[in-house]
Amino acid sequence: MASLAYTVLASTLESRSNYNANKNFRDQCTLATCPLSLSYWGYLPSLGANAFFLALFAISTILFVGQGVLSRRFLGFTFAMVSGCALEVIGYVGRTMAHHNPFGENPFLIQIVCLTIAPAFMAAGIYLCLSRIVTTFGPENSRIKPLSYPRIFIPCDLASLLLQAAGGGIASSASHTDKDPTVGNNIMIAGLAVQVITLFIFICLATDFAVRTVRRIKTMGAQNALDPTHARLRASWKFKGFMIALSFATLCIFTRSVYRVAELSEGWNGHLIKTQKYFIGLEGAIVGTAVLALNIFHPGLCFREGYERGSTGCCSCCGGRRKKARRADAETASSEAVSAVDLEHRAEK
């Protein structure tokens, strides 16, 4: 009887081509009555793996908040990473919920929207760091000005984020109103494609800067090729670790974005999205490793050597208190002028 009921239900699903029929069919399914191949996922989301990633991103969120408060610098980077990690937490809450009911629509929509747009925030945090790195080594080694990096890449990342968010919202709304979410899915793909292109150009410019810097060092020597103001910062092991962590995280986010473009291009019933091992390896593990690397080498802590300045020094590259330095210089000049006038009056007397 159960086999006959399943045959009837399956044939009913296949005979209806519209999304409304598929959704209504899933609403009646449970793990006891329907096979996983008919769920939104095509598999049972792993409770262990998703709970692990949920805990990892929750801890990472707390760490980024604490590191931002402790360093009181790189607040833009901290905000971007906290936002991205918080969305990852919400997404993995959805996947954890789906372990108990893979036929439910809301957990699927929660994870596909939140986990799709979360790395866009992380990419923004990465973009903010390159201008500081360029200043630390010397702007003359870069093809564009240090401040041009965030001015170029942040708007591109914002466009990517808006497309992904809009696509996710349209797909979610369509799904809730029993309509086909393909249009929203295509907009999400467009947003991811913008993110991939932006990251690729960013990687090319960062690589070009590194190559040009190395060549200048070989030709002119480190003392002449690099800004001597930041020599102490460049020599610190924390800064070197941050450079490696940032490069690693950039490649991780880029790889993940390429995977998500390929995944969503197949639609919500494609092979990639229906295969859990690809998601765990190319989404959860890659993004999780990237944020852990940036937790360990948070720029607010790794640039700390640059905050200790003997003169006006590293404050310019590390977002230091330039205004306070200028104010102190102005106060010093003012007091010197007052002293000079006072001496003149005494001399006249």
Side-chain angles (χ1 to χ4, degrees):
M1 180 65 72
S3 176
L4 178 61
Y6 161 69
T7 302
V8 173
L9 287 173
S11 63
T12 301
L13 176 62
E14 293 174 356
S15 65
R16 298 181 182 182
S17 58
N18 61 66
Y19 188 79
N20 183 15
N22 293 346
K23 178 180 180 298
N24 291 337
F25 175 81
R26 291 191 179 102
D27 288 343
Q28 307 303 318
C29 280
T30 66
L31 288 171
T33 60
C34 298
L36 287 171
S37 59
L38 298 179
S39 69
Y40 284 96
W41 312 81
Y43 58 83
L44 184 64
S46 170
L47 180 61
N50 290 305
F52 171 79
F53 289 128
L54 171 60
L56 186 152
F57 286 109
I59 293 172
S60 184
T61 302
I62 295 171
L63 287 176
F64 276 122
V65 171
Q67 290 168 329
V69 172
L70 182 64
S71 66
R72 293 184 295 177
R73 290 175 173 86
F74 285 86
L75 297 182
F77 170 86
T78 299
F79 174 79
M81 298 305 296
V82 168
S83 300
C85 288
L87 285 170
E88 292 282 348
V89 169
I90 297 172
Y92 282 103
V93 167
R95 290 185 67 87
T96 303
M97 292 167 55
H99 173 78
H100 304 287
N101 180 21
F103 302 98
E105 179 187 38
N106 287 335
F108 179 77
L109 293 177
I110 288 172
Q111 68 89 32
I112 202 167
V113 173
C114 292
L115 297 184
T116 298
I117 67 176
F121 286 94
M122 301 173 188
I126 290 172
Y127 298 147
L128 290 171
C129 292
L130 185 57
S131 62
R132 307 289 181 88
I133 294 173
V134 169
T135 304
T136 302
F137 281 91
E140 61 276 6
N141 298 312
S142 175
R143 292 186 185 274
I144 62 178
K145 296 179 180 179
L147 288 179
S148 296
Y149 288 99
R151 289 173 180 172
I152 292 172
F153 290 106
I154 294 299
C156 292
D157 192 66
L158 180 61
S160 166
L161 177 62
L162 291 175
L163 283 171
Q164 293 179 56
I170 292 172
S172 178
S173 176
S175 181
H176 278 302
T177 55
D178 298 337
K179 296 179 181 178
D180 191 342
T182 300
V183 173
N185 185 65
N186 290 338
I187 296 175
M188 291 173 70
I189 294 172
L192 283 166
V194 171
Q195 183 176 326
V196 168
I197 294 171
T198 303
L199 275 167
F200 179 75
I201 296 173
F202 176 82
I203 291 171
C204 289
L205 284 175
T207 302
D208 176 73
F209 170 73
V211 171
R212 287 166 61 90
T213 300
V214 171
R215 286 178 177 174
R216 281 174 61 89
I217 292 174
K218 290 182 178 179
T219 303
M220 304 169 59
Q223 292 184 345
N224 296 322
L226 303 179
D227 185 350
T229 308
H230 314 302
R232 180 179 178 183
L233 175 61
R234 291 193 300 269
S236 69
W237 66 269
K238 290 182 180 180
F239 178 76
K240 294 176 181 178
F242 166 72
M243 294 280 291
I244 296 172
L246 187 70
S247 301
F248 175 74
T250 303
L251 293 176
C252 284
I253 300 299
F254 178 76
T255 303
R256 171 266 173 198
S257 298
V258 171
Y259 158 70
R260 291 310 294 267
V261 169
E263 178 196 59
L264 292 180
S265 295
E266 297 180 348
W268 289 9
N269 293 302
H271 173 67
L272 289 176
I273 202 171
K274 295 286 188 179
T275 307
Q276 183 166 209
K277 63 182 180 182
Y278 295 144
F279 180 89
I280 292 175
L282 294 173
E283 171 72 33
I286 280 185
V287 178
T289 307
V291 298
L292 281 181
L294 293 175
N295 269 137
I296 296 172
F297 294 99
H298 189 284
L301 303 178
C302 293
F303 274 76
R304 182 162 287 180
E305 292 284 350
Y307 303 146
E308 301 174 8
R309 54 190 194 98
S311 56
T312 54
C314 293
C315 289
S316 61
C317 83
C318 301
R321 302 172 182 177
R322 295 166 63 183
K323 291 183 179 179
K324 289 187 177 181
R326 291 172 182 171
R327 190 182 305 163
D329 292 341
E331 291 175 355
T332 301
S334 177
S335 63
E336 289 176 353
V338 171
S339 298
V341 172
D342 186 49
L343 287 173
E344 289 178 4
H345 282 304
R346 290 182 181 179
E348 290 175 0
K349 291 179 180 180

